Amino acid sequence: YFFLSNLSLVDICFTSTTIPKMLVNIQTQSQVITYGGCITQIFFFQLFGVLDDFLLTVMAYDRFEAICHPLHYTVIMNPRLCGLVLLVSWIMSALSALLQSLMVLRLSFCTVLKIPHFICELNQVIKLACSDTFLNNVMMYFATGLLTALPLTGILYSYFKIVSCIRGMSSAQGKYKAFSTCASHISVVSLFYCTILGVYLSSASPYSTHSSAVASVMYTVVTPMLNPFIYSLRNKDIKGALKRFCAMAAIKGTTVLGMKNSP
């Protein structure tokens, strides 16, 4: 629960970076943000996005140790190591976000800009610069590739080892329990990387302003919102409450249908 609670905290901070400003813009019908506010939003958006990625990777390694080395799990994943891994993740994410934000500060812009997005997305802001953006583009794509490829490689390697370990189990119940332990994390990782892929593919097209914004909504709003629900489905109390809610909804639907059909 240590990494899960930190993931929840990061998701809350991640959505808080964009959603409050977006709601204010909708309420006031004024889609304006200052230059300083835009740079600040870029920094925190990069910070919590990268941190989310690192935490999912660490959680994959945590599952690997829990399933493949259950007797040594508490020794390996001790509180000191967990705290150290979390601290390193924060430092690397902060350095990456700070570097990207400082690279934007060196660019020159016109006085009034129109960003075709609902947030100050780094790629869209760089496209609107009046000065040379070659160095920014190189740094942006290098950092994105590195900070996406390395965590994804770590996740895939962890699950490759987990599958190999599960295949060696003789008990069918043990295999099911091991797979069910990973089900929530696999769902969250798949949702996270699929939305990132959607954002990348939509932004690669020159005629993709609307589709890129829609994909970004999935990545910045929907994915962090679904993460707590996905992990909560493993909780027995949540499962029981969900079953009772579905049963009550079914009963109400049957009652309303019966009243309509009655003479």
Side-chain angles (χ1 to χ4, degrees):
Y1 289 104
F2 175 76
F3 293 117
L4 187 58
S5 60
N6 279 278
L7 181 67
S8 301
L9 175 63
V10 171
D11 283 337
I12 292 172
C13 296
F14 186 60
T15 53
S16 300
T17 304
T18 56
I19 293 180
K21 178 60 179 174
M22 184 172 62
L23 294 176
V24 169
N25 290 344
I26 294 173
Q27 178 67 28
T28 60
Q29 296 296 312
S30 174
Q31 300 176 354
V32 177
I33 188 170
T34 62
Y35 177 74
C38 187
I39 298 297
T40 303
Q41 192 176 71
I42 289 175
F43 172 78
F44 285 107
F45 185 81
Q46 294 287 323
L47 170 65
F48 295 119
V50 174
L51 188 56
D52 217 348
D53 200 7
F54 283 152
L55 283 177
L56 290 176
T57 307
V58 173
M59 291 171 74
Y61 176 74
D62 177 74
R63 293 300 85 208
F64 160 71
E65 292 293 347
I67 293 172
C68 299
H69 308 107
L71 298 180
H72 301 283
Y73 173 74
T74 54
V75 177
I76 297 173
M77 300 301 293
N78 56 76
R80 184 175 179 273
L81 177 63
C82 293
L84 182 62
V85 169
L86 182 64
L87 178 62
V88 171
S89 299
W90 270 97
I91 292 174
M92 293 180 63
S93 302
L95 290 176
S96 173
L98 183 61
L99 179 61
Q100 296 283 7
S101 302
L102 292 176
M103 291 292 291
V104 176
L105 288 174
R106 61 180 288 273
L107 299 175
S108 58
F109 298 91
C110 302
T111 53
V112 179
L113 295 176
K114 183 178 180 181
I115 302 175
H117 218 291
F118 71 96
I119 61 170
C120 285
E121 203 266 335
L122 180 62
N123 187 36
Q124 297 292 340
V125 173
I126 292 176
K127 287 180 180 179
L128 297 174
C130 301
S131 55
D132 182 38
T133 61
F134 175 76
L135 190 59
N136 290 78
N137 285 320
V138 170
M139 182 60 66
M140 179 180 65
Y141 288 115
F142 175 77
T144 302
L146 184 66
L147 297 176
T148 303
L150 287 181
L152 182 59
T153 302
I155 292 172
L156 293 177
Y157 179 76
S158 296
Y159 276 105
F160 172 77
K161 300 295 288 184
I162 287 172
V163 171
S164 300
C165 184
I166 291 175
R167 288 180 60 186
M169 294 180 180
S170 57
S171 170
Q173 185 178 1
K175 291 182 178 180
Y176 173 78
K177 185 177 181 180
F179 272 118
S180 64
T181 303
C182 302
S184 300
H185 184 260
I186 292 174
S187 301
V188 171
V189 168
S190 302
L191 187 63
F192 181 81
Y193 279 100
C194 285
T195 50
I196 287 180
L197 182 63
V199 171
Y200 174 77
L201 293 177
S202 60
S203 62
S205 173
Y207 308 103
S208 60
T209 302
H210 178 70
S211 58
S212 178
V214 173
S216 294
V217 170
M218 291 291 296
Y219 171 61
T220 59
V221 179
V222 178
T223 301
M225 181 185 70
L226 290 179
N227 285 352
F229 292 102
I230 293 173
Y231 275 104
S232 297
L233 290 178
R234 294 193 65 246
N235 187 288
K236 292 183 179 180
D237 295 332
I238 297 295
K239 284 183 179 179
L242 188 61
K243 288 180 180 179
R244 289 193 296 271
F245 176 78
C246 293
M248 291 177 60
I251 293 172
K252 288 182 179 179
T254 305
T255 304
V256 172
L257 183 62
M259 292 178 63
K260 289 183 177 180
N261 294 335
S262 61

